[in-house]
Amino acid sequence: MTDLTMTHQTLEVKESLEERCNKILRNMEASLTARDRVGIQDFVLLDPHTSESAFLDNLRKRFHENLIYTYIGTLLVSVNPYKELDIYSKKQMDTYMGVNFFELPPHIYALADNVFRTMQSEFNNHFILISGESGAGKTEASKKILQFYAVSCPSTKLLNNVRDRLLLSNPVLEAFGNAKTLKNDNSSRFGKYMDIQFDHQGGAVGGHILSYLLEKSRVVHQNHGERNFHIFYQLVEGGEEDLLRWLGLERNCKNYSYLVQGDCAKVSSINDKSDWKTVRKALSVIEFSESDIENLFGIIASVLHLGNIKFDADARGYASLSNYQEMHWVSKLLGIPAQVLQQGLTHRKIEAKSEEVLTPFSVDHAVYARDALAKAVYGRTFNWLVNKINESLANKDSSRKTVIGLLDIYGFEVFNVNSFEQFCINYCNEKLQQLFIELTLKSEQEEYEMEGIEWEPVPYFNNKIICDLVEEKHRGIISLLDEECLRPGEATDLTFLEKMEEKMGGHPHFLTHKLADQKTRKTLDRGDFRLLHYAGEVTYCVVGFLDKNNDLLYRNGKEVMRQSKNAIIKHCFPPTEPDSKRRPETVVTQFKSSLVGLTEILMSKEPWYVRCIKPNEAKQPGRFDDVLIRHQVKYLGLMEHLRVRRAGFAYRRKYEIFLQRYKPLCPDTWPKWKGTAAEGVKLLIKHLGFRSDEYKMGRTKIFIRHPRTLFATEDAFQV
Ligand code: ATP
Ligand code: MG
């Protein structure tokens, strides 16, 4: 190549860079011009001293124009519109495909596309953390992202298979793991982390799902206005006549005691009949065999039958079955001899010296054991389901893949009465907030310091203090709870409460009736403890904590299940399982370890964020409740994030990596170049014409203030 052509090429690069910058600026200007009506699409462009009120004004303006997405740099804020918007069509997907972040109005597709392209160009792993309280729109957001990848990724016939399975895993898992709560008609009652695997051409070639702590207690108990898991209603409402007859079910949810406690089997926003059809179809696509499906619905029906088994006290006060019909259905569907099942429901096995003795249950005990069995059966079947889906999503080819992880968990929730389940869910949210803080506010600011970049620190609330209160070894709430669970017979929920009072009295985020001042005391019952979470106060009723944490299933409950001929149950209750001789880990401790595992998975990838906001408690469109939203903006740390973003740098790259990637844009200098990477980068950005306020040179990295500069540079490759 002659010098002349090189100069010519360089000129073209410069022009294109300028052109792209201009295009991005034009889009920003358009947004600034329209600002009075539709607000600003990136909060970073608001006045430097944006107040919380101005922030809210901007969100409100956009919300009323049906513009539910707004950026803070590359973080996406999404406000749940509670109505269908015409912004998720194939045409919209095409519009956002391969276009730079700031060239078009904010959209979840823009984020998805940008993650995808970064993954492809840097060949590394990413994750999208979707957070917000219950009903804020996390699950919907994760579905939109998945749909975008399914449609936009290069596909072949083989990949289409994977794509369909990825998409259809959603309705199946939602049917078994979601339920109507007072906060959300389709509330996730389990945590879900899904890896989507891509090959080097960007085709989605596989996936893997990790599920976290399903709220099993819902199987046997629902609060007023809430439902059991969707699948039960889908089966009863939508199941074919033949199927129901085979399962011994009647087409009336009111007949099943596990479905009537919430007194709201019918929900206007839910169509159980058509959802049933979707799930049924999805199960076939995910390669469930007919016998898997038979076994699966045999189990779901068995749980309903189990719930209808009632006990009477016999002459000695021991439990006996009030009627045998339901028990016979369970026996038939699970393939367990009726006698064995009956004995299992009314007796427990205890070890006396070296002998095993059967002792009869009282009626209360029998009800407890029956419910424990129903929960165990459902919970283990759910895990089987996740594994089965994973088998179908697994990619057998061993070539290197990159992944995009999607995290969609149960959101922070506060009810009138909060129990062990809310404690676990809110603890999980606390951990994710901690991760967000670590990755954005804390490490970002520490990095500026380390790299010697001049920096005015932005103060923020670090919720580590609450995480520690809950999980610290030997001293946290979880440790105390586990300690009490180790003292069967002596410990009770109340002794657990007393222990907490003893150890945590004086902690700024912990309160009980006894510890409260006179005024606050009125708001607490004696059996309550209150945590001041990052997202607000939650009062937990301590009743049931020990029991739910122990999650005891009587030993012969397991033994009975081991005799099952139903292949799924057989798989879920293997003969080699350690039995009650070895103490299993408590529920909360298992959960804690699984969250540590999740954090490790996430920390090894590049983070992206979607922060979802719930606009009102009434689940209605068009209602923007200022107080509610202000509260979320506060606890989600959005103002602090904005301050760090505005004053800081959206991108940073090690000199070596930056140089490696962009040096082809300056072909007259390379490959003859011999200096250090930092010197090389200096030359390169001079050549590219970066404005001096757009970047800073740190000790080991270059920091770029605004993503548009990097995007424009990326685009120069396409000249
Ligand atoms: P949870 O923590 O309880 O699982 P969530 O944050 O996952 O809550 P979603 O189930 O995603 O909440 O959303 C609740 C409801 O809000 C949806 O069922 C849907 O009706 C509505 N919704 C959420 N996002 C959107 C959207 N982008 N467009 C239209 N409706 C939406
Ligand atoms: Mg959800």
Side-chain angles (χ1 to χ4, degrees):
M1 218 186 282
T2 64
D3 276 348
L4 194 71
T5 49
M6 275 198 282
T7 320
H8 180 65
Q9 195 178 42
T10 316
L11 239 173
E12 269 188 358
V13 167
K14 269 199 159 175
E15 269 174 17
S16 147
L17 196 63
E18 257 179 63
E19 248 169 47
R20 298 305 280 197
C21 269
N22 283 341
K23 199 166 169 197
I24 294 166
L25 284 172
R26 274 201 301 278
N27 178 44
M28 287 176 174
E29 273 160 20
S31 125
L32 284 170
T33 324
R35 151 182 203 162
D36 284 346
R37 195 170 53 81
V38 299
I40 271 185
Q41 60 188 28
D42 185 347
F43 281 110
V44 174
L45 299 174
L46 278 179
D47 301 333
H49 302 292
T50 312
S51 64
E52 208 170 75
S53 299
F55 191 102
L56 228 62
D57 285 345
N58 195 50
L59 265 190
R60 187 186 313 102
K61 242 182 225 172
R62 296 179 63 73
F63 178 77
H64 289 309
E65 291 291 328
N66 289 332
L67 301 169
I68 60 166
Y69 298 120
T70 311
Y71 295 132
I72 305 178
T74 53
L75 175 148
L76 183 72
V77 180
S78 160
V79 186
N80 184 349
Y82 277 121
K83 63 179 172 188
E84 295 302 321
L85 298 177
D86 187 22
I87 55 171
Y88 303 111
S89 59
K90 166 84 171 64
K91 203 168 145 222
Q92 282 277 329
M93 290 186 187
D94 291 341
T95 309
Y96 277 91
M97 228 175 275
V99 175
N100 278 335
F101 217 48
F102 295 95
E103 285 183 27
L104 288 169
H107 201 294
I108 190 116
Y109 294 160
L111 181 107
D113 183 64
N114 198 33
V115 180
F116 178 73
R117 284 190 302 125
T118 314
M119 174 195 72
Q120 279 228 289
S121 69
E122 303 194 353
F123 210 65
N124 55 0
N125 300 324
H126 296 251
F127 76 91
I128 306 175
L129 175 64
I130 309 171
S131 43
E133 62 191 52
S134 180
K138 299 179 294 297
T139 299
E140 291 300 318
S142 84
K143 285 194 272 194
K144 306 282 188 258
I145 295 172
L146 193 63
Q147 278 157 6
F148 180 80
Y149 290 141
V151 173
S152 69
C153 292
S155 61
T156 61
K157 196 153 184 263
L158 185 74
L159 298 186
N160 285 347
N161 260 338
V162 176
R163 189 188 67 184
D164 291 346
R165 288 181 207 163
L166 277 169
L167 285 175
L168 289 172
S169 66
N170 257 335
V172 175
L173 283 178
E174 278 189 24
F176 286 83
N178 286 26
K180 180 201 185 295
T181 68
L182 291 171
K183 300 274 170 200
N184 181 0
D185 292 352
N186 183 33
S187 187
S188 311
R189 309 315 293 165
F190 69 109
K192 179 175 157 197
Y193 173 78
M194 180 181 207
D195 263 341
I196 311 164
Q197 300 157 348
F198 298 90
D199 64 11
H200 64 281
Q201 281 152 341
V205 290
H208 189 81
I209 294 166
L210 290 172
S211 71
Y212 296 91
L213 192 60
L214 177 77
E215 189 198 42
K216 279 188 306 189
S217 59
R218 183 168 298 274
V219 175
V220 300
H221 175 75
Q222 309 91 42
N223 290 325
H224 191 80
E226 301 205 341
R227 299 209 309 179
N228 209 322
F229 294 100
H230 297 321
I231 190 65
F232 292 110
Y233 307 88
Q234 292 172 0
L235 175 61
V236 173
E237 291 292 328
E240 299 71 18
E241 289 298 334
D242 285 356
L243 178 64
L244 291 198
R245 202 171 313 118
W246 183 75
L247 296 171
L249 294 179
E250 288 156 34
R251 197 179 296 290
N252 188 354
C253 293
K254 295 216 170 85
N255 292 352
Y256 299 99
S257 72
Y258 281 165
L259 304 184
V260 293
Q261 298 164 48
D263 198 20
C264 70
K266 289 251 180 328
V267 184
S268 63
S269 65
I270 299 175
N271 186 337
D272 291 311
K273 259 191 199 151
S274 70
D275 289 349
W276 163 260
K277 290 207 176 86
T278 311
V279 169
R280 225 15 216 93
K281 217 159 98 201
L283 286 172
S284 333
V285 176
I286 313 176
E287 287 186 331
F288 279 61
S289 65
E290 275 311 305
S291 80
D292 281 338
I293 292 174
E294 231 169 60
N295 286 330
L296 185 60
F297 291 117
I299 294 171
I300 298 306
S302 295
V303 170
L304 291 179
H305 287 302
L306 260 180
N308 278 5
I309 292 180
K310 303 279 175 308
F311 303 94
D312 291 323
D314 66 12
R316 295 169 305 160
Y318 294 134
S320 68
L321 294 184
S322 323
N323 72 64
Y324 290 85
Q325 199 187 351
E326 304 281 4
M327 191 270 294
H328 279 295
W329 276 111
V330 180
S331 153
K332 178 199 146 190
L333 295 170
L334 299 188
I336 300 171
Q339 246 180 334
V340 173
L341 184 63
Q342 186 189 343
Q343 195 185 63
L345 286 165
T346 49
H347 292 74
R348 72 182 291 199
K349 222 177 234 177
I350 48 171
E351 243 166 275
K353 292 182 188 144
S354 58
E355 258 182 297
E356 280 183 340
V357 188
L358 273 181
T359 51
F361 280 137
S362 68
V363 170
D364 284 352
H365 253 129
V367 169
Y368 178 91
R370 176 201 68 192
D371 287 352
L373 198 60
K375 284 189 285 185
V377 164
Y378 192 85
R380 290 177 187 216
T381 302
F382 183 79
N383 291 340
W384 173 87
L385 194 72
V386 174
N387 285 337
K388 186 85 190 161
I389 292 176
N390 279 336
E391 277 170 27
S392 140
L393 295 178
N395 181 270
K396 275 123 205 143
D397 160 23
S398 63
S399 65
R400 205 182 147 207
K401 324 265 177 333
T402 48
V403 307
I404 295 176
L406 281 179
L407 184 65
D408 168 29
I409 47 124
Y410 14 45
F412 183 80
E413 61 188 19
V414 194
F415 296 108
N416 283 338
V417 178
N418 302 290
S419 185
F420 179 75
E421 291 76 12
Q422 280 67 47
F423 174 75
C424 291
I425 289 173
N426 293 341
Y427 160 56
C428 174
N429 278 275
E430 206 73 70
K431 290 289 282 177
L432 292 180
Q433 173 71 0
Q434 177 62 189
L435 187 76
F436 176 74
I437 287 177
E438 282 282 333
L439 290 178
T440 60
L441 303 174
K442 186 163 175 276
S443 65
E444 177 126 353
Q445 301 201 64
E446 282 172 359
E447 185 168 35
Y448 294 144
E449 206 167 296
M450 254 159 37
E451 288 280 331
I453 305 274
E454 232 175 84
W455 182 252
E456 180 78 32
V458 173
Y460 60 91
F461 169 67
N462 192 340
N463 72 331
K464 183 167 186 303
I465 182 170
I466 310 164
C467 291
D468 287 348
L469 171 70
V470 175
E471 67 180 8
E472 220 177 354
K473 265 199 185 137
H474 310 304
R475 294 166 41 182
I477 295 177
I478 290 178
S479 279
L480 297 186
L481 180 57
D482 278 359
E483 253 175 47
E484 290 304 88
C485 285
L486 277 176
R487 302 195 304 129
E490 294 167 56
T492 63
D493 292 326
L494 285 178
T495 61
F496 164 54
L497 185 72
E498 281 162 15
K499 279 225 164 133
M500 283 197 290
E501 281 173 332
E502 205 178 287
K503 294 269 162 65
M504 275 125 201
H507 193 290
H509 291 264
F510 181 86
L511 207 61
T512 63
H513 181 91
K514 191 170 139 195
L515 299 171
D517 60 32
Q518 259 194 332
K519 198 170 136 225
T520 322
R521 191 168 283 177
K522 289 186 194 127
T523 63
L524 282 157
D525 281 335
R526 280 182 196 282
D528 289 346
F529 69 98
R530 181 173 294 165
L531 296 185
L532 183 52
H533 283 287
Y534 78 105
E537 272 182 7
V538 186
T539 305
Y540 298 96
C541 171
V542 81
V543 176
F545 264 64
L546 260 60
D547 199 29
K548 288 173 178 170
N549 191 37
N550 269 327
D551 193 27
L552 275 185
L553 179 61
Y554 288 112
R555 196 165 112 219
N556 60 322
K558 272 186 211 162
E559 281 176 10
V560 169
M561 287 299 133
R562 278 183 202 137
Q563 302 202 25
S564 170
K565 297 227 159 35
N566 180 310
I568 299 176
I569 294 290
K570 244 189 155 85
H571 186 270
C572 291
F573 292 87
T576 52
E577 192 181 4
D579 57 20
S580 56
K581 280 182 198 129
R582 238 196 71 219
R583 206 183 159 72
E585 273 194 327
T586 62
V587 172
V588 75
T589 293
Q590 278 179 40
F591 189 45
K592 182 178 151 185
S593 327
S594 67
L595 291 181
V596 170
L598 174 65
T599 312
E600 280 164 10
I601 292 174
L602 299 181
M603 293 291 262
S604 67
K605 302 184 165 72
E606 272 210 44
W608 300 80
Y609 307 98
V610 181
R611 303 295 254 176
C612 298
I613 289 183
K614 184 175 185 167
N616 60 68
E617 285 288 3
K619 309 172 194 167
Q620 278 179 8
R623 276 175 63 175
F624 190 94
D625 180 336
D626 272 21
V627 177
L628 192 75
I629 295 170
R630 188 183 288 267
H631 179 62
Q632 291 169 75
V633 166
K634 229 185 214 122
Y635 80 66
L636 287 171
L638 296 184
M639 293 304 293
E640 290 86 345
H641 188 80
L642 171 60
R643 277 181 211 125
V644 171
R645 267 278 153 262
R646 180 167 315 103
F649 300 83
Y651 280 95
R652 70 232 40 213
R653 283 288 177 275
K654 286 239 178 247
Y655 288 130
E656 291 77 8
I657 296 174
F658 188 84
L659 191 63
Q660 189 62 30
R661 170 108 191 110
Y662 298 111
K663 67 184 181 190
L665 294 177
C666 186
D668 44 350
T669 312
W670 280 270
K672 287 170 271 164
W673 172 253
K674 288 264 180 327
T676 65
E679 286 163 350
V681 169
K682 233 183 223 165
L683 258 180
L684 183 59
I685 51 181
K686 193 165 160 228
H687 172 81
L688 291 171
F690 279 18
R691 280 188 359 219
S692 62
D693 58 348
E694 260 302 301
Y695 71 95
K696 275 219 161 62
M697 307 285 283
R699 288 202 177 98
T700 65
K701 291 177 184 172
I702 174 171
F703 290 78
I704 297 175
R705 196 170 289 285
H706 202 277
R708 66 171 178 260
T709 310
L710 199 75
F711 289 140
T713 313
E714 274 292 322
D715 273 0
F717 274 113
Q718 285 154 26
V719 178

